[in-house]
Coordinates of all heavy atoms in Angstrom, one line a residue:
M1 N 0.9 -1.2 0.1 CA 0.0 0.0 0.0 C 0.9 1.3 0.1 O 1.9 1.3 0.7 CB -0.9 -0.1 1.2 CG -1.8 1.1 1.3 SD -3.1 1.2 2.5 CE -2.1 1.8 4.0
S2 N 0.5 2.2 -0.8 CA 1.2 3.5 -0.9 C 1.0 4.3 0.3 O 0.0 4.3 0.9 CB 0.8 4.2 -2.1 OG 1.3 5.5 -2.1
L3 N 2.0 5.1 0.8 CA 2.0 6.0 2.0 C 1.4 7.3 1.4 O 1.2 8.2 2.2 CB 3.2 6.1 2.6 CG 3.7 4.8 3.3 CD1 5.1 5.1 3.9 CD2 2.7 4.4 4.4
F4 N 1.2 7.5 0.2 CA 0.8 8.7 -0.5 C -0.7 8.8 -0.7 O -1.1 8.6 -1.8 CB 1.7 9.0 -1.7 CG 3.1 9.0 -1.5 CD1 3.9 8.0 -1.8 CD2 3.8 10.1 -0.9 CE1 5.3 7.9 -1.6 CE2 5.1 10.2 -0.7 CZ 5.8 9.1 -0.9
A5 N -1.3 9.2 0.4 CA -2.8 9.3 0.2 C -3.2 10.7 0.0 O -2.5 11.6 0.6 CB -3.5 8.8 1.5
V6 N -4.3 11.0 -0.7 CA -4.6 12.3 -1.0 C -5.8 12.6 -0.2 O -6.9 11.9 -0.1 CB -5.2 12.3 -2.5 CG1 -5.6 13.8 -2.8 CG2 -4.0 12.0 -3.4
P7 N -5.8 13.9 0.6 CA -7.0 14.1 1.4 C -8.2 14.5 0.5 O -8.0 15.2 -0.5 CB -6.6 15.3 2.1 CG -5.4 15.9 1.6 CD -4.8 14.7 0.7
I8 N -9.3 14.0 0.7 CA -10.6 14.2 -0.2 C -11.7 14.9 0.7 O -12.6 15.4 0.0 CB -11.0 13.0 -0.9 CG1 -11.5 11.8 0.1 CG2 -10.0 12.5 -1.9 CD1 -12.2 10.6 -0.6
A9 N -11.6 14.9 2.0 CA -12.7 15.5 2.7 C -12.2 15.6 4.2 O -11.3 14.9 4.7 CB -14.0 14.7 2.7
G10 N -12.9 16.6 4.9 CA -12.7 16.7 6.3 C -13.8 17.3 7.1 O -14.7 17.9 6.5
T11 N -13.9 16.9 8.4 CA -15.1 17.4 9.2 C -14.5 17.8 10.5 O -13.4 17.3 11.0 CB -16.2 16.4 9.3 OG1 -15.6 15.2 10.0 CG2 -16.8 16.2 8.0
T12 N -15.3 18.6 11.3 CA -14.9 19.2 12.6 C -16.1 19.1 13.4 O -17.1 19.4 13.0 CB -14.2 20.5 12.5 OG1 -13.2 20.6 11.6 CG2 -13.8 20.9 13.9
S13 N -16.0 18.6 14.7 CA -17.1 18.6 15.6 C -17.5 20.1 15.9 O -16.9 20.9 15.7 CB -16.7 17.9 16.9 OG -15.6 18.5 17.5
R14 N -18.6 20.2 16.6 CA -19.1 21.5 16.9 C -18.2 22.1 17.9 O -17.5 21.5 18.6 CB -20.6 21.3 17.6 CG -21.6 20.8 16.9 CD -22.9 20.8 17.7 NE -22.8 20.4 19.0 CZ -23.0 19.2 19.5 NH1 -23.3 18.2 18.7 NH2 -22.8 19.0 20.7
P15 N -18.1 23.5 17.9 CA -17.1 24.2 18.6 C -17.4 24.0 20.2 O -16.4 24.1 21.0 CB -17.2 25.7 18.3 CG -18.0 25.6 17.0 CD -18.7 24.4 16.9
D16 N -18.6 23.8 20.6 CA -18.9 23.6 22.0 C -18.7 22.1 22.6 O -18.9 21.8 23.7 CB -20.2 24.1 22.3 CG -21.4 23.3 21.6 OD1 -21.1 22.6 20.5 OD2 -22.6 23.2 22.0
D17 N -18.2 21.2 21.7 CA -18.0 19.9 22.1 C -16.9 19.9 23.2 O -15.8 20.7 23.1 CB -17.5 18.9 20.9 CG -18.6 18.4 20.2 OD1 -19.9 18.5 20.7 OD2 -18.3 17.7 19.3
P18 N -17.0 19.2 24.3 CA -16.1 19.1 25.4 C -14.6 18.6 24.9 O -13.6 19.0 25.4 CB -16.6 18.2 26.5 CG -17.8 17.7 25.9 CD -18.2 18.3 24.6
V19 N -14.7 17.6 24.0 CA -13.4 17.2 23.4 C -13.5 17.3 21.8 O -14.1 16.5 21.2 CB -13.1 15.7 23.6 CG1 -11.9 15.3 23.0 CG2 -13.0 15.6 25.2
P20 N -13.0 18.5 21.3 CA -13.2 18.6 19.8 C -12.5 17.6 19.1 O -11.4 17.1 19.5 CB -12.4 20.1 19.6 CG -12.3 20.6 21.0 CD -12.3 19.5 22.1
V21 N -13.1 17.1 18.0 CA -12.7 16.2 17.2 C -12.6 16.7 15.7 O -13.3 17.4 15.1 CB -13.6 15.0 17.2 CG1 -13.1 13.8 16.1 CG2 -13.8 14.4 18.4
T22 N -11.5 16.2 14.9 CA -11.5 16.5 13.5 C -11.2 15.1 12.8 O -10.6 14.3 13.4 CB -10.2 17.5 13.1 OG1 -9.0 16.9 13.6 CG2 -10.4 18.8 13.7
Q23 N -11.8 15.0 11.6 CA -11.6 13.8 10.9 C -11.2 14.2 9.4 O -11.7 15.1 8.8 CB -12.8 13.0 10.7 CG -13.1 12.2 12.0 CD -14.5 11.3 11.8 OE1 -15.4 11.8 11.2 NE2 -14.4 10.2 12.3
T24 N -10.2 13.5 8.9 CA -9.7 13.8 7.5 C -9.8 12.4 6.9 O -9.4 11.4 7.4 CB -8.3 14.3 7.4 OG1 -8.3 15.4 8.3 CG2 -8.0 14.6 6.1
L25 N -10.5 12.4 5.6 CA -10.6 11.2 4.8 C -9.7 11.3 3.7 O -9.6 12.3 3.0 CB -12.1 11.1 4.3 CG -12.3 9.9 3.4 CD1 -12.2 8.6 4.1 CD2 -13.9 10.0 2.8
Y26 N -8.9 10.3 3.5 CA -7.9 10.2 2.3 C -8.1 9.1 1.5 O -8.8 8.1 1.8 CB -6.5 9.9 3.0 CG -5.9 11.0 3.9 CD1 -6.3 10.9 5.3 CD2 -5.2 12.0 3.4 CE1 -5.9 11.8 6.1 CE2 -4.7 13.0 4.4 CZ -5.0 12.9 5.7 OH -4.7 13.9 6.5
R27 N -7.9 9.2 0.1 CA -7.9 8.0 -0.7 C -6.4 7.7 -1.3 O -5.7 8.6 -1.6 CB -8.7 8.3 -1.8 CG -9.0 7.1 -2.8 CD -10.1 7.2 -3.8 NE -10.4 8.5 -4.2 CZ -11.6 9.0 -4.2 NH1 -12.6 8.2 -3.7 NH2 -12.0 10.3 -4.5
T28 N -6.0 6.5 -1.3 CA -4.6 6.0 -1.6 C -4.8 5.7 -3.2 O -5.8 5.6 -3.7 CB -4.3 4.8 -0.9 OG1 -5.1 3.7 -1.3 CG2 -4.4 4.9 0.6
P29 N -3.6 5.6 -3.8 CA -3.5 5.3 -5.2 C -4.3 3.9 -5.5 O -4.7 3.7 -6.6 CB -2.1 5.2 -5.6 CG -1.4 6.3 -4.6 CD -2.4 6.0 -3.3
E30 N -4.2 3.1 -4.5 CA -4.8 1.7 -4.7 C -6.3 1.8 -4.4 O -7.0 0.6 -4.3 CB -4.2 0.7 -3.6 CG -2.7 0.6 -4.0 CD -1.8 1.4 -3.2 OE1 -2.3 2.3 -2.4 OE2 -0.6 1.6 -3.5
H31 N -7.0 2.9 -4.2 CA -8.4 3.2 -3.9 C -8.8 2.7 -2.6 O -10.0 2.2 -2.4 CB -9.2 2.5 -5.1 CG -8.8 3.0 -6.4 ND1 -9.0 4.3 -6.9 CD2 -8.2 2.6 -7.5 CE1 -8.6 4.6 -8.1 NE2 -8.0 3.5 -8.4
R32 N -7.9 2.6 -1.6 CA -8.3 2.3 -0.3 C -8.7 3.7 0.3 O -8.3 4.7 -0.2 CB -7.3 1.7 0.4 CG -6.8 0.2 0.1 CD -5.8 -0.3 0.9 NE -5.6 -1.7 0.6 CZ -4.6 -2.2 -0.2 NH1 -3.7 -1.3 -0.8 NH2 -4.4 -3.4 -0.4
Y33 N -9.5 3.6 1.5 CA -9.8 4.8 2.1 C -9.1 4.9 3.6 O -9.0 3.8 4.1 CB -11.3 4.9 2.3 CG -11.9 5.3 1.1 CD1 -12.4 4.2 0.2 CD2 -12.3 6.5 0.6 CE1 -13.0 4.4 -1.1 CE2 -12.9 6.8 -0.6 CZ -13.3 5.9 -1.3 OH -13.8 6.2 -2.6
V34 N -8.7 5.9 3.9 CA -7.9 6.2 5.3 C -8.6 7.2 6.0 O -8.8 8.4 5.4 CB -6.5 6.4 5.1 CG1 -5.8 6.6 6.4 CG2 -5.8 5.3 4.2
I35 N -9.1 7.0 7.3 CA -9.7 8.2 8.1 C -8.7 8.4 9.3 O -8.3 7.5 10.0 CB -10.9 7.7 8.6 CG1 -12.0 7.5 7.6 CG2 -11.5 8.8 9.6 CD1 -13.4 7.2 8.1
R36 N -8.2 9.6 9.4 CA -7.5 10.2 10.4 C -8.4 11.0 11.4 O -8.9 12.0 11.0 CB -6.3 11.0 10.0 CG -5.5 11.4 11.1 CD -4.3 12.3 10.4 NE -3.4 12.9 11.6 CZ -3.4 14.1 11.9 NH1 -4.1 15.0 11.2 NH2 -2.7 14.5 12.8
T37 N -8.6 10.4 12.6 CA -9.4 11.1 13.6 C -8.5 11.6 14.7 O -7.8 10.8 15.2 CB -10.4 10.1 14.2 OG1 -11.2 9.5 13.1 CG2 -11.3 10.8 15.1
C38 N -8.6 12.9 15.0 CA -7.9 13.4 16.1 C -8.7 14.1 17.1 O -9.7 14.7 16.9 CB -6.9 14.6 15.5 SG -5.7 14.0 14.4
L39 N -8.4 13.7 18.4 CA -9.1 14.3 19.5 C -8.1 15.5 20.1 O -7.0 15.2 20.2 CB -9.4 13.3 20.7 CG -10.1 12.0 20.3 CD1 -10.1 11.1 21.6 CD2 -11.4 12.3 19.9
H40 N -8.7 16.6 20.2 CA -8.0 17.8 20.6 C -8.2 18.0 22.1 O -9.1 18.5 22.6 CB -8.3 19.0 19.8 CG -8.1 18.6 18.3 ND1 -6.9 18.5 17.7 CD2 -9.2 18.5 17.4 CE1 -7.2 18.3 16.4 NE2 -8.6 18.2 16.2
L41 N -7.1 17.6 22.9 CA -7.3 17.6 24.3 C -6.7 18.7 25.1 O -6.8 18.8 26.3 CB -6.5 16.4 24.9 CG -7.0 14.9 24.3 CD1 -6.2 13.8 24.9 CD2 -8.4 14.8 24.7
G42 N -6.3 19.8 24.4 CA -5.8 21.0 25.1 C -5.4 21.9 23.9 O -5.4 21.7 22.8
A43 N -5.0 23.2 24.4 CA -4.6 24.2 23.5 C -3.3 23.9 22.9 O -3.0 24.2 21.7 CB -4.5 25.6 24.3
D44 N -2.5 23.1 23.4 CA -1.2 22.6 22.8 C -1.4 21.5 21.9 O -2.0 20.4 22.4 CB -0.3 22.3 23.9 CG 1.1 21.9 23.4 OD1 1.4 21.9 22.2 OD2 2.0 21.7 24.3
S45 N -1.0 21.5 20.7 CA -1.2 20.4 19.7 C -0.4 19.2 20.2 O -0.9 18.1 19.7 CB -0.8 20.9 18.3 OG 0.5 21.0 18.3
A46 N 0.5 19.3 21.1 CA 1.2 18.0 21.6 C 0.3 17.3 22.5 O 0.6 16.0 22.7 CB 2.4 18.5 22.4
L47 N -0.9 17.8 22.8 CA -1.9 17.0 23.5 C -2.9 16.2 22.7 O -3.7 15.5 23.2 CB -2.6 17.8 24.6 CG -1.7 18.5 25.6 CD1 -2.5 19.5 26.4 CD2 -1.0 17.5 26.5
D48 N -2.8 16.4 21.3 CA -3.7 15.7 20.4 C -3.4 14.3 20.4 O -2.4 13.8 20.4 CB -3.5 16.4 19.0 CG -4.1 17.7 18.9 OD1 -4.6 18.3 19.8 OD2 -3.9 18.4 17.8
V49 N -4.5 13.5 20.3 CA -4.4 12.1 20.2 C -5.2 11.7 18.8 O -6.3 12.1 18.6 CB -5.2 11.3 21.2 CG1 -5.1 9.9 21.1 CG2 -4.6 11.9 22.6
C50 N -4.4 11.0 18.0 CA -4.9 10.7 16.7 C -4.9 9.2 16.5 O -4.1 8.4 16.9 CB -4.1 11.4 15.5 SG -4.1 13.1 15.7
D51 N -5.8 8.7 15.6 CA -6.0 7.3 15.2 C -6.1 7.3 13.8 O -6.8 8.2 13.1 CB -7.4 6.9 16.0 CG -7.7 5.5 15.4 OD1 -7.2 4.5 15.9 OD2 -8.7 5.4 14.7
V52 N -5.6 6.3 13.1 CA -5.7 6.0 11.7 C -6.4 4.7 11.4 O -5.9 3.7 12.0 CB -4.3 6.2 11.1 CG1 -4.4 5.8 9.6 CG2 -3.8 7.6 11.2
M53 N -7.4 4.7 10.6 CA -8.0 3.5 10.2 C -8.1 3.4 8.7 O -8.3 4.3 8.0 CB -9.5 3.4 10.5 CG -9.7 3.6 12.1 SD -9.0 2.2 13.1 CE -10.0 0.9 12.5
I54 N -7.6 2.2 8.2 CA -7.6 2.0 6.7 C -8.7 1.0 6.3 O -9.0 -0.1 6.9 CB -6.2 1.4 6.4 CG1 -5.1 2.3 6.8 CG2 -6.2 1.0 4.9 CD1 -3.7 1.7 6.9
Y55 N -9.4 1.3 5.2 CA -10.5 0.5 4.7 C -10.2 0.1 3.2 O -9.7 0.9 2.5 CB -11.9 1.3 4.7 CG -12.2 1.7 6.1 CD1 -11.7 3.0 6.5 CD2 -12.8 0.9 7.0 CE1 -12.0 3.4 7.8 CE2 -13.0 1.3 8.4 CZ -12.7 2.6 8.7 OH -12.9 3.0 10.0
A56 N -10.5 -1.2 3.1 CA -10.2 -1.8 1.6 C -10.9 -1.1 0.4 O -10.2 -1.0 -0.6 CB -10.4 -3.3 1.7
D57 N -12.0 -0.7 0.7 CA -12.8 -0.1 -0.3 C -13.9 0.8 0.1 O -14.1 0.8 1.4 CB -13.3 -1.1 -1.4 CG -14.1 -2.2 -0.7 OD1 -14.7 -1.9 0.4 OD2 -14.2 -3.3 -1.2
E58 N -14.7 1.4 -0.8 CA -15.8 2.2 -0.3 C -16.9 1.5 0.5 O -17.4 2.0 1.4 CB -16.4 2.9 -1.5 CG -17.5 3.9 -1.2 CD -18.1 4.7 -2.4 OE1 -17.5 4.8 -3.4 OE2 -19.3 5.0 -2.3
A59 N -17.1 0.2 0.2 CA -18.1 -0.6 0.8 C -17.6 -0.7 2.3 O -18.5 -0.6 3.3 CB -18.4 -1.9 0.2
A60 N -16.4 -1.1 2.5 CA -16.0 -1.3 3.9 C -16.0 0.1 4.6 O -16.4 0.0 5.9 CB -14.5 -1.8 3.8
L61 N -15.7 1.2 3.9 CA -15.7 2.4 4.7 C -17.1 2.7 5.1 O -17.4 3.1 6.2 CB -15.2 3.5 3.7 CG -15.4 4.9 4.1 CD1 -14.4 5.3 5.2 CD2 -15.2 5.9 2.9
R62 N -18.1 2.6 4.2 CA -19.4 2.8 4.5 C -20.1 2.0 5.6 O -20.7 2.3 6.5 CB -20.5 2.6 3.3 CG -20.2 3.6 2.2 CD -21.1 3.3 1.0 NE -21.0 4.4 0.0 CZ -21.5 5.5 0.1 NH1 -22.3 5.7 1.2 NH2 -21.5 6.5 -0.7
E63 N -19.7 0.7 5.6 CA -20.0 -0.3 6.7 C -19.6 0.3 8.1 O -20.3 0.3 9.0 CB -19.5 -1.7 6.4 CG -19.9 -2.6 7.4 CD -19.5 -4.0 7.1 OE1 -19.1 -4.3 6.0 OE2 -19.6 -4.9 8.1
A64 N -18.2 0.6 8.1 CA -17.7 1.0 9.2 C -18.4 2.4 9.8 O -18.6 2.5 11.1 CB -16.3 1.3 9.3
L65 N -18.6 3.3 8.9 CA -19.2 4.6 9.2 C -20.6 4.5 9.5 O -21.1 5.3 10.3 CB -18.9 5.7 8.2 CG -17.5 6.1 8.0 CD1 -17.4 7.2 7.0 CD2 -16.8 6.4 9.3
S66 N -21.4 3.6 9.0 CA -22.8 3.4 9.4 C -23.0 2.8 10.8 O -24.1 2.9 11.3 CB -23.5 2.7 8.3 OG -23.1 1.3 8.2
A67 N -22.0 2.0 11.2 CA -22.2 1.3 12.5 C -22.5 2.2 13.7 O -23.3 1.8 14.5 CB -20.9 0.5 12.7
G68 N -22.0 3.3 13.7 CA -22.1 4.2 14.9 C -23.2 5.2 14.7 O -23.7 5.7 15.8
G69 N -23.5 5.5 13.4 CA -24.6 6.4 13.2 C -24.1 7.9 13.7 O -25.1 8.7 13.9
D70 N -23.0 8.2 13.7 CA -22.3 9.4 14.1 C -22.6 10.5 13.0 O -22.3 10.3 11.8 CB -20.9 9.2 14.4 CG -20.2 10.5 15.0 OD1 -20.6 11.6 14.7 OD2 -19.4 10.3 15.9
G71 N -23.2 11.7 13.5 CA -23.4 12.8 12.5 C -22.1 13.2 11.9 O -22.1 13.6 10.7
L72 N -21.0 13.2 12.5 CA -19.7 13.6 12.0 C -19.3 12.6 10.9 O -18.7 13.1 10.0 CB -18.7 13.7 13.2 CG -17.3 14.3 13.0 CD1 -17.6 15.8 12.5 CD2 -16.5 14.3 14.1
D73 N -19.4 11.4 11.1 CA -19.2 10.3 10.1 C -19.9 10.6 8.8 O -19.4 10.4 7.7 CB -19.3 8.9 10.6 CG -18.3 8.5 11.7 OD1 -17.2 9.2 11.7 OD2 -18.6 7.6 12.3
Q74 N -21.3 10.8 9.0 CA -22.0 11.1 7.8 C -21.6 12.5 7.1 O -21.7 12.4 5.9 CB -23.5 11.1 8.3 CG -24.1 9.8 8.9 CD -24.0 8.7 8.0 OE1 -24.3 8.7 6.7 NE2 -23.3 7.6 8.4
A75 N -21.2 13.4 7.9 CA -20.9 14.6 7.3 C -19.5 14.4 6.5 O -19.3 15.0 5.5 CB -20.6 15.6 8.4
L76 N -18.6 13.5 7.0 CA -17.4 13.2 6.3 C -17.7 12.6 4.9 O -17.1 12.9 3.9 CB -16.6 12.3 7.2 CG -15.1 12.0 6.7 CD1 -14.4 13.2 6.6 CD2 -14.3 11.0 7.6
L77 N -18.6 11.5 4.9 CA -19.1 11.0 3.6 C -19.6 12.0 2.7 O -19.2 12.0 1.5 CB -20.1 9.9 3.8 CG -19.6 8.5 4.5 CD1 -20.8 7.6 4.7 CD2 -18.7 7.9 3.5
A78 N -20.5 12.9 3.2 CA -21.0 13.9 2.3 C -20.0 14.9 1.8 O -20.1 15.3 0.6 CB -22.1 14.6 3.1
A79 N -19.0 15.3 2.7 CA -18.0 16.2 2.2 C -17.1 15.6 1.2 O -16.6 16.2 0.3 CB -17.2 16.6 3.5
A80 N -17.0 14.2 1.1 CA -16.2 13.5 0.1 C -17.0 13.3 -1.1 O -16.4 12.7 -2.1 CB -15.7 12.3 0.7
G81 N -18.2 13.7 -1.1 CA -19.1 13.4 -2.4 C -19.5 12.1 -2.3 O -20.0 11.5 -3.4
L82 N -19.5 11.4 -1.3 CA -20.0 9.9 -1.2 C -21.4 10.0 -0.5 O -21.4 10.2 0.8 CB -19.0 9.1 -0.3 CG -17.6 9.0 -1.0 CD1 -16.7 8.2 0.0 CD2 -17.6 8.3 -2.3
D83 N -22.4 10.0 -1.2 CA -23.8 10.2 -0.6 C -23.9 9.3 0.6 O -23.9 8.1 0.4 CB -24.9 9.8 -1.7 CG -26.2 10.0 -1.2 OD1 -26.5 10.5 0.0 OD2 -27.2 9.7 -2.0
P84 N -24.1 9.9 1.8 CA -24.1 9.1 3.0 C -25.4 8.2 3.1 O -25.5 7.2 3.8 CB -24.2 10.1 4.2 CG -24.5 11.3 3.5 CD -24.2 11.3 2.1
D85 N -26.4 8.4 2.2 CA -27.8 7.6 2.3 C -27.6 6.5 1.3 O -28.5 5.7 1.3 CB -28.9 8.4 2.0 CG -29.1 9.5 3.2 OD1 -28.8 9.1 4.4 OD2 -29.4 10.7 2.8
R86 N -26.6 6.4 0.4 CA -26.6 5.3 -0.5 C -25.9 4.1 0.1 O -24.9 4.3 1.0 CB -25.6 5.8 -1.7 CG -25.7 4.9 -2.8 CD -24.8 5.2 -4.0 NE -23.6 4.5 -3.7 CZ -22.4 4.8 -4.1 NH1 -22.2 5.9 -4.6 NH2 -21.3 4.0 -3.7
E87 N -26.5 3.0 -0.1 CA -25.9 1.7 0.4 C -25.0 1.1 -0.5 O -25.0 1.2 -1.7 CB -27.2 0.8 0.5 CG -28.1 1.0 1.7 CD -27.5 1.0 3.1 OE1 -26.9 0.0 3.3 OE2 -27.9 1.7 3.9

């Protein structure tokens, strides 16, 4: 798998969330999807905690994001031009 993924969308939680979250969706040259989720735990970026998840294809990405029903996840799909209501 290539390490050169292209960012295709991003979302941010509401400003009043107790732990702000940002998500960035990337697509690799092999058509895999990668989501980088970061929790911002303080004013210093050194306190950020990030997680990276890799999905084999669009179907696997949709399945993972539909499991939680999180509005942020649905917004990420919509921002990427992937209709969140399409199965």
Side-chain angles (χ1 to χ4, degrees):
M1 181 172 87
S2 172
L3 297 177
F4 300 102
V6 176
I8 59 171
T11 58
T12 303
S13 62
R14 295 184 324 264
D16 61 339
D17 274 353
V19 178
V21 176
T22 58
Q23 287 184 314
T24 306
L25 178 63
Y26 300 86
R27 188 172 17 236
T28 70
E30 297 85 10
H31 304 289
R32 291 186 175 98
Y33 289 89
V34 178
I35 295 179
R36 178 177 178 248
T37 302
C38 292
L39 305 176
H40 306 287
L41 303 175
D44 183 359
S45 64
L47 298 175
D48 290 356
V49 176
C50 298
D51 174 77
V52 174
M53 298 297 293
I54 302 170
Y55 301 95
D57 54 26
E58 186 177 330
L61 172 71
R62 288 177 176 284
E63 182 179 345
L65 294 184
S66 68
D70 186 322
L72 195 60
D73 291 342
Q74 297 305 308
L76 188 61
L77 286 175
L82 303 172
D83 182 2
D85 295 323
R86 194 184 91 207
E87 294 285 324

